[in-house]
Amino acid sequence: MSATTRRLTTAQALVRFLSVQYTERDGVRRRLIAGTWGIFGHGNVAGIGQALVEHRDVMPYHQGRNEQAMVHAAVGYARQLNRLSAQAVTTSIGPGATNLVTGAALATINRLPVLLLPGDYFASRVANPLLQQLEHPVEADVSVNDTLRPVSRYFDRVTRPEALIPSALNAMRVLADPAETGAVTLALPQDVQAEAYDWPEEFFTERVWPVRRPAPDPVELTAAVAAVRAARRPLIVAGGGVHHSEAEEALRALVDATGIPVASTQAGKGSLRHDHPADLGGIGHTGTAVSDELARTADLVIGVGTRYTDFTTASGTLFQHPDVRFLNLNITGFDAHKLAARTLVCDARTGLERLTEALAGHRVEEAYEAEYRAGKERWERVVETAYRADDDSAVPTQTQVLGALDAVVGDEDVVINAAGSLPGDLHKLWRARGPRQYHLEYGYSCMGYEIPAALGVQQAAPGTPVWALVGDGTYLMMPTEIVTAVQEGLPVTMVLIQNHGYASIGGLSEETGGERFGTAYRHRAADGSFTGAPLPVDLAANAASLGMDVLRAKTVRELRNALAEARASDRPTCVYVETDPTPTAPPAEAWWDVPVAEVASREAATRARERYESQVAGRRRHL
């Protein structure tokens, strides 16, 4: 073998290559791929599996229980570290590979990096069809891994060893690019994984991928400054890009200088501390009253790092000022141009800093500042009412659970949620004390995200108290990574809320004429409906059987004590609480479009259609 080459299998070469890739931003260097999650089967056990053993000194391995959950864990890890470090996930072919699709979609929708390494069929076709291989009658090169194409930001099937070189480099380029990042898939035929090749030594030298902070175009910046100076009622909408760019201080500097108030998306909450006088809380369908009231009258909406989902815009009904215009600061041109906006295509922190400099001396009118501060004070009283428990011996409501947790957490704690009724309550009510505390996955709102994501966050921030808030519906979707938490010694705390069904969708079903059909966990009644007694299912016992310490809380007082005990524990711990289903969260302050049956024989659906038609009339297209 020549002095300039190294003979390794394709899988060994890939693992060795990944171990020497780094990102660098603001002079700080991190491993780009810090570890690999895996479940082994035929398709990766003899290739990537053997390579991870061969190079276990340079590539940490984490054993998962569910392929989708492994992606969620990797996504939680990457988000906690502001997309500067990621993890890989390897699976077998067949169901192991297709189980990645949901996690890949979640990663790409949320603009978060994860590297997927599923096994694939034999490139040589000598074993054909092999176990779990999809046979397509007219496209012989198709495999189940092609389901990952539409949910990946980069996809390649590596059918020759030497093809790995450009493919691996492209994969790293996309993962490290803040404007392009998401799920990246390298499908690996199992015979190619095991095939040896003489690799150039340069492939294994350390490589640093700079994470850029592009500045705004001067012409765009001039136009943006003019738009802000001309606005009488500007409103900033802070999205997840503020956190990814570590732009929280830059945002606060702009707000302190100009007095422009800030409302936050689910991904952007915590961009300002909750007690900053200009922080108005969540915006949109699950937003606060003060945010949504100002949004309706804003003449300039300044979006910073937001995708403007339908929850943020209230399905196009929120921004109602007749002359409202948009100014979008986003590193991704695709998002910056939404809502026919003026654009600042740049890094969030750099763009905010330049905007602050250019707006020197400009400030909103005192009357406007007094208006939103008064609205913030009124909303704070709403939060206090929702959190307050007048009887410590009573069964807690869901909002009282949040109040009890609010009293226990520290500024550094991370609270994770994704689906059900909790995201709405949290967006309206949670008092975010730090930029990483509020971790809501609401781009895909994927049930089952919370527990594995908590593992990834705990890996990224050892010593940080991490809370996974989980309803019974979500828990039943994916509790398996509890075992992984125990195995890895990750002291996450799960707050398991039992309300015997899909509370969020139950309410939506009732609102849209579905009469809560199929949304409760109860015995089937004689008429076929699920209206009988609650099922005799003990989720706390299940969590204990998987290795968690379990604390049961039946009252508000017991809940407070259990949360404090769990936070002090160095073991994976579950706080189990059955809640009073009485609604105590404030109602939605803005609409959300869920189409209702245009014709129906049942009165509930007919009334729902009438409500729908009155609301949809308020939709605007901003052009």
Side-chain angles (χ1 to χ4, degrees), residues 213-251:
R213 288 196 182 277
D217 177 83
V219 174
E220 287 193 334
L221 181 61
T222 299
V225 170
V228 176
R229 288 187 180 276
R232 294 177 61 85
R233 300 180 64 82
L235 174 67
I236 293 172
V237 176
V242 175
H243 294 313
H244 299 328
S245 177
E246 298 176 303
E248 297 89 359
E249 289 299 320
L251 176 64

Side-chain angles (χ1 to χ4, degrees), residues 14 17-18 20-21 32 115 154 156 158 162-177 184 186 200 202-209:
L14 176 58
F17 168 83
L18 294 177
V20 292
Q21 306 302 304
L32 177 49
L115 176 61
Y154 179 81
D156 194 15
V158 183
E162 59 268 33
L164 176 66
I165 295 173
S167 185
L169 291 169
N170 273 321
M172 299 304 104
R173 172 186 60 81
V174 173
L175 289 170
D177 188 329
V184 167
L186 298 183
E202 293 83 358
F203 190 54
F204 307 113
T205 57
E206 287 190 4
R207 192 178 302 265
V208 178
W209 301 85

Side-chain angles (χ1 to χ4, degrees), residues 28-29 41-42 63 83 125 143 176 199 321 330 346 354-355 392 438 460 482 484 499 511 517 547 571 584 603 618:
V28 178
R29 183 178 294 192
H42 96 94
Q63 183 183 58
R83 308 191 298 189
R125 313 289 174 86
S143 82
W199 303 89
H321 190 288
N330 203 297
C346 59
R354 299 290 173 85
L355 198 57
D392 281 0
Y438 188 85
I482 289 173
T484 306
N499 54 26
E511 176 66 22
F517 178 75
R571 287 252 316 142
T584 52
E603 184 180 354

Side-chain angles (χ1 to χ4, degrees), residues 260-462:
I260 301 174
V262 175
S264 302
T265 69
Q266 287 279 18
K269 195 172 172 76
S271 295
L272 290 182
R273 271 185 64 100
H274 76 94
D275 52 5
H276 190 287
D279 179 64
L280 307 183
I283 189 171
H285 177 62
T286 54
T288 68
V290 58
S291 286
D292 288 352
E293 286 167 6
L294 258 67
R296 292 186 180 95
T297 60
D299 56 358
L300 179 67
V301 178
I302 306 168
V304 183
T306 177
R307 300 188 300 123
Y308 285 111
T309 69
D310 60 341
F311 257 58
T312 298
T313 67
S315 300
T317 65
L318 186 57
F319 305 111
Q320 288 296 326
H321 190 288
D323 299 318
V324 65
R325 301 304 295 172
F326 296 84
L327 168 63
N328 292 340
L329 192 164
N330 203 297
I331 199 166
T332 305
F334 174 76
D335 291 319
H337 281 87
K338 290 176 177 176
L339 303 177
R342 294 183 182 277
T343 60
L344 282 174
V345 180
C346 59
D347 170 70
R349 192 172 85 182
T350 302
L352 288 169
E353 289 171 347
R354 299 290 173 85
L355 198 57
T356 303
E357 293 168 3
L359 286 168
H362 175 75
R363 193 168 183 88
V364 299
E365 296 176 358
E366 290 183 7
Y368 182 52
E369 208 166 344
E371 176 189 343
Y372 71 67
R373 289 191 180 200
K376 178 180 174 65
E377 289 177 5
R378 289 194 299 272
W379 186 258
E380 186 59 31
R381 292 193 289 271
V382 173
V383 176
E384 290 290 348
T385 299
Y387 278 4
R388 186 173 59 245
D390 296 324
D391 182 1
D392 281 0
S393 63
V395 174
T397 64
Q398 183 162 284
T399 60
Q400 289 167 352
V401 172
L402 299 184
L405 184 60
D406 175 76
V408 169
V409 299
D411 290 8
E412 71 278 14
D413 293 32
V414 180
V415 176
I416 301 173
N417 188 240
S421 58
L422 276 166
D425 292 356
L426 286 160
H427 199 208
K428 292 187 189 84
L429 303 173
W430 188 257
R431 298 160 166 163
R433 305 174 193 178
R436 300 292 162 268
Q437 183 175 86
Y438 188 85
H439 184 126
L440 260 285
E441 189 288 297
Y442 217 58
Y444 211 41
S445 187
C446 186
M447 295 177 71
Y449 172 82
E450 294 89 342
I451 298 172
L455 308 191
V457 170
Q458 192 78 84
Q459 288 178 329

Side-chain angles (χ1 to χ4, degrees), residues 109 237-238 240 288 351 394 427 431 474 476 485 522 551 570 603:
I109 286 170
V237 176
T288 68
H427 199 208
R431 298 160 166 163
T474 287
L476 288 168
R522 293 177 179 271
L551 305 171
D570 61 359
E603 184 180 354

Side-chain angles (χ1 to χ4, degrees), residues 117-137:
L117 304 173
D120 214 322
Y121 55 55
F122 280 47
S124 63
R125 313 289 174 86
V126 293
N128 187 46
L130 68 155
L131 179 65
Q132 299 178 327
Q133 180 181 342
L134 172 72
E135 289 186 277
H136 197 289

Side-chain angles (χ1 to χ4, degrees), residues 57-128:
D57 57 325
V58 295
M59 180 58 69
Y61 167 72
H62 311 292
Q63 183 183 58
R65 269 76 199 169
N66 176 284
E67 292 86 358
Q68 180 187 137
M70 292 193 296
V71 185
H72 293 337
V75 166
Y77 178 92
R79 175 168 168 169
Q80 182 67 19
L81 294 176
N82 303 316
R83 308 191 298 189
L84 299 174
S85 185
Q87 294 176 321
V89 178
T90 179
T91 71
S92 63
I93 73 166
T98 52
N99 282 348
L100 294 172
V101 174
T102 296
L106 181 148
T108 295
I109 286 170
N110 286 285
R111 284 40 168 185
L112 292 166
V114 61
L115 176 61
L116 308 179
L117 304 173
D120 214 322
Y121 55 55
F122 280 47
S124 63
R125 313 289 174 86
V126 293
N128 187 46

